Amino acid sequence: MTTQLPPIHIALMQPAGYVHSLGLLDQARYVRYQLRRLGATVTLAKNRLREDSLNIVFGAHLGFAEDWRRRHACIFFNLEQLGAGGAAVSEAYMKLLRTSAVADYDASNVAAYASDPADVPVLPFLHAPYLESADTLPLADRPIDLLFFGSMNARRRAFIDRIEATGVSVAMFDHPIYGAERDAYIRQSKAVLNCSFYDSARFEQARVFQCLSMGTPVISERRPGARAPAAFDDAVFWIDPEGDALESFFSQHFATPAYLDEAPQRLAAFRLHDPVDHYADLLLFGVGFMQGHGINRLGSGDAGVWRPNLINLGSGKDYRPGWLNLDVQDSAEPDVVLDLSAPLSLPLTMDSRYGGQIELNAASIDVLYANNVLEHVPNLTQLMTNALTLLKEGGRFEIEVPHERALTAWQDPTHVRALNENSWIYYSEWFWYLGWFEHRFEMSGSSYLDMKLQPCSKENAAFMRVALRKIETTARERTLARTMQADLRLPEDAIPHDEAILIDTLAECTTQPAQPVPSSQPSARALQGKTLVSLAD
């Protein structure tokens, strides 16, 4: 009997503009590689989950909506050092780990959230063949002696100062850099330095494996109690930070001919280790979890069409997990490509690009959010009409736009309008101009923001933030609308069947002058059921 592998989707969580989420790329890429080796179909995206896949989530400590797990089967990959002396993560993240399926890179973390360690697959990051390159410079020819990258604190600063006191220069970046751009510097270094940020001092294999796989040696402290997978024992240059071992290594051994001879042997030792069995265990764990999630989802009634109550107009860097993200450009990777500035017929059922179906209904949305969108929209009246239709009564339309007096108003060549304080009058006070009748918007809040999106005065405004609330019009407002609009809005007053009167013929009326109707003619009630002949016949 063969086990059907589910499609795998790897999701990297990134708050808007948070560059350090790119530090998850190395580990996500490695997991993708190992699972593809085992025959799984694996996709990868930022902030997006798939309903039709097993989701492996990196970076959930940066924020993850707990109820998102109902529609998505998720395994959370923890890369944080947890427990005494570790990272200060939120209680929400710890609760998420305690109540979810989790994978980890270090067994020492597991006790902080799992009652049974056997429930958590522990996965090492070892040699990554895809990082090897035929163009790798010989160590002796590399221009950078020692490279350090990562967050800085007092402990790391003191460790680096000790090294530089021996005469070795430690190169560091002056701004965050990740991915291939950072790797280019790693390949030019004779070694990368690794030292602990936290007092827990867990070996940072998630950083070290990348360097060793590229053919760059790693020099790392090894504090008492710190454990590392056996694959790193012979691959890393280990230093005891206590005593004078550090000073002795850098003043007498580093970058010498003996070091240059020893380093390739250590790199070769690292290539001998293959973690495929661990990732096979993860895959089997995921198969069982995916099946259980499907059963639970059916039982909870969440297996049908998704009817969202939050809409984000925009995607790309502005993608909001847990919301329905709409965009007019497919390249922004929205949940659905949909233009709300075009006529909208509701209810509307759509296929999500991330699996499953989505249904939009009138008066179903609590919040609709548009961040720097309205200045691009060709038909703003139609968009505002659709927004009013979609929102529940009391629902909010939260808007952020460049202020017309700011340079931000016209710096983008795709802008079609500028907006100011008067731009919202038609949607509130003059709603009847737009053909609205039963509902309108009212301004529930507004503020000015500077270039850093901080509150400011109107004189310094780069952006304007507005909140509109959908409200029912009053009797007086509807009377005004009847007065000003062309449509009188009268009901059709359907005639009941027993009140309908049909006339047999009126043809004589076209050739003879009208005559008084004798009292002997049948009454109107007696004409019921006769055929009506048009005057044109």
Side-chain angles (χ1 to χ4, degrees):
M1 177 179 178
T2 59
T3 301
Q4 183 67 37
L5 296 179
I8 309 292
H9 181 70
I10 297 175
L12 277 65
M13 306 310 296
Q14 181 190 51
Y18 186 68
V19 66
H20 297 296
S21 286
L22 297 179
L24 304 169
L25 288 174
D26 304 334
Q27 299 80 40
R29 184 181 178 187
Y30 188 80
V31 172
R32 182 182 66 176
Y33 175 82
Q34 295 297 344
L35 295 181
R36 282 179 173 174
R37 287 179 68 195
L38 295 164
T41 299
V42 188
T43 55
L44 190 151
K46 183 194 299 181
N47 287 329
R48 282 89 165 153
L49 298 187
R50 294 194 64 95
E51 287 192 50
D52 57 1
S53 302
L54 172 66
N55 296 274
I56 299 178
V57 181
F58 286 85
H61 65 288
L62 300 172
F64 190 92
E66 186 176 338
D67 61 356
W68 213 14
R69 296 176 300 175
R70 289 202 300 265
R71 289 191 300 112
H72 305 89
C74 297
I75 296 176
F76 297 94
F77 204 121
N78 175 60
L79 292 173
E80 295 299 297
Q81 295 190 31
L82 303 177
V89 299
S90 68
E91 178 55 32
Y93 179 60
M94 295 306 300
K95 180 181 177 183
L96 188 72
L97 296 184
R98 288 193 291 265
T99 58
S100 304
V102 183
D104 211 305
Y105 79 105
D106 195 311
S108 300
N109 292 323
V110 176
Y113 56 84
S115 57
D116 186 354
D119 291 338
V120 180
V122 176
L123 305 160
F125 294 98
L126 304 183
H127 180 59
Y130 53 83
L131 291 173
E132 294 179 349
S133 173
D135 299 328
T136 300
L137 284 173
L139 290 179
D141 297 337
R142 298 188 185 186
I144 300 172
D145 283 337
L146 188 60
L147 175 67
F148 172 81
F149 58 91
S151 300
M152 185 62 68
N153 64 358
R155 188 183 182 285
R156 280 179 166 173
R157 181 70 264 178
F159 193 84
I160 291 171
D161 287 346
R162 287 177 62 188
I163 295 171
E164 291 192 318
T166 69
V168 175
S169 175
V170 181
M172 292 177 280
F173 299 122
D174 56 6
H175 57 272
I177 184 171
Y178 297 98
E181 292 72 29
R182 177 212 56 206
D183 292 350
Y185 291 95
I186 294 175
R187 294 181 188 277
Q188 298 179 64
S189 303
K190 293 183 177 69
V192 167
L193 176 67
N194 180 64
C195 55
S196 300
F197 184 90
Y198 297 108
D199 290 338
S200 54
R202 305 217 171 98
F203 177 60
E204 294 166 315
Q205 56 174 295
R207 170 203 308 265
V208 173
F209 89 94
Q210 184 85 358
C211 303
L212 295 177
S213 296
M214 285 190 286
T216 297
V218 173
I219 302 168
S220 177
E221 66 170 339
R222 194 166 202 172
R223 294 164 67 187
R227 293 178 294 177
F232 293 94
D233 285 344
D234 297 326
V236 173
F237 287 93
W238 295 103
I239 297 176
D240 185 346
E242 304 300 328
D244 59 359
L246 182 149
E247 284 77 9
S248 175
F249 178 87
F250 282 102
S251 62
Q252 301 177 27
H253 186 62
F254 177 67
T256 64
Y259 168 84
L260 297 175
D261 286 341
E262 183 181 355
Q265 299 175 35
R266 292 186 177 273
L267 294 170
F270 188 62
R271 290 194 291 268
L272 299 177
H273 300 272
D274 189 343
V276 67
D277 289 343
H278 295 274
Y279 286 87
D281 290 342
L282 172 65
L283 198 54
L284 292 175
F285 175 75
V287 168
F289 176 75
M290 184 79 170
Q291 293 171 346
H293 181 269
I295 294 171
N296 292 335
R297 187 177 176 191
L298 283 171
S300 66
D302 285 335
V305 174
W306 178 38
R307 297 177 179 84
N309 67 328
L310 303 169
I311 293 179
N312 175 37
L313 295 186
S315 194
K317 68 179 180 60
D318 298 315
Y319 189 94
R320 290 193 160 197
W323 294 51
L324 171 60
N325 294 267
L326 304 177
D327 207 294
V328 297
Q329 300 183 50
D330 187 70
S331 60
E333 299 185 9
D335 300 318
V336 175
V337 174
L338 182 66
D339 184 1
L340 280 191
S341 69
L344 186 65
S345 178
L346 299 173
L348 177 63
T349 301
M350 307 165 287
D351 291 326
S352 169
R353 75 187 294 148
Y354 300 111
Q357 283 192 320
I358 300 168
E359 182 178 287
L360 275 183
N361 292 282
S364 64
I365 304 302
D366 291 310
V367 181
L368 199 153
Y369 179 71
N371 184 350
N372 288 279
V373 171
L374 302 193
E375 64 270 25
H376 302 273
V377 174
N379 189 344
L380 184 55
T381 299
Q382 184 65 63
L383 184 144
M384 298 299 289
T385 299
N386 288 337
L388 191 73
T389 301
L390 287 166
L391 285 167
K392 298 176 182 176
E393 197 167 297
R396 303 190 315 279
F397 192 1
E398 298 178 352
I399 300 166
E400 191 172 301
V401 291
H403 190 267
E404 69 167 2
R405 293 188 178 182
L407 295 176
T408 50
W410 296 109
Q411 67 183 7
D412 187 332
T414 64
H415 287 187
V416 297
R417 67 177 57 80
L419 296 108
N420 61 26
E421 296 77 14
N422 295 325
S423 298
W424 320 106
I425 293 176
Y426 271 84
Y427 313 115
S428 54
E429 298 175 31
W430 297 348
F431 67 94
W432 44 268
Y433 267 120
L434 308 178
W436 300 355
F437 186 74
E438 295 179 346
H439 294 90
R440 66 176 178 88
F441 284 117
E442 72 168 3
M443 182 84 74
S444 61
S446 66
S447 60
Y448 300 106
L449 306 174
D450 61 20
M451 289 296 293
K452 296 182 179 180
L453 301 181
Q454 298 301 308
C456 67
S457 64
K458 179 179 178 179
E459 292 72 25
N460 298 316
F463 299 94
M464 180 169 43
R465 182 176 290 161
V466 174
L468 303 177
R469 188 168 70 96
K470 178 179 176 177
I471 62 171
E472 184 180 8
T473 53
T474 65
R476 181 179 180 182
E477 289 169 339
R478 290 192 291 274
T479 300
L480 174 63
R482 287 187 196 276
T483 304
M484 304 303 293
Q485 292 175 353
D487 186 356
L488 292 171
R489 298 184 179 273
L490 288 178
E492 288 300 321
D493 300 327
I495 300 173
H497 178 71
D498 62 353
E499 291 289 328
I501 300 173
L502 303 178
I503 301 175
D504 186 27
T505 177
L506 295 178
E508 293 181 0
C509 295
T510 63
T511 58
Q512 298 178 13
Q515 299 293 328
V517 179
S519 60
S520 60
Q521 289 293 318
S523 67
R525 182 69 64 182
L527 291 174
Q528 280 188 296
K530 301 296 184 179
T531 302
L532 177 63
V533 179
S534 169
L535 290 174
D537 288 343

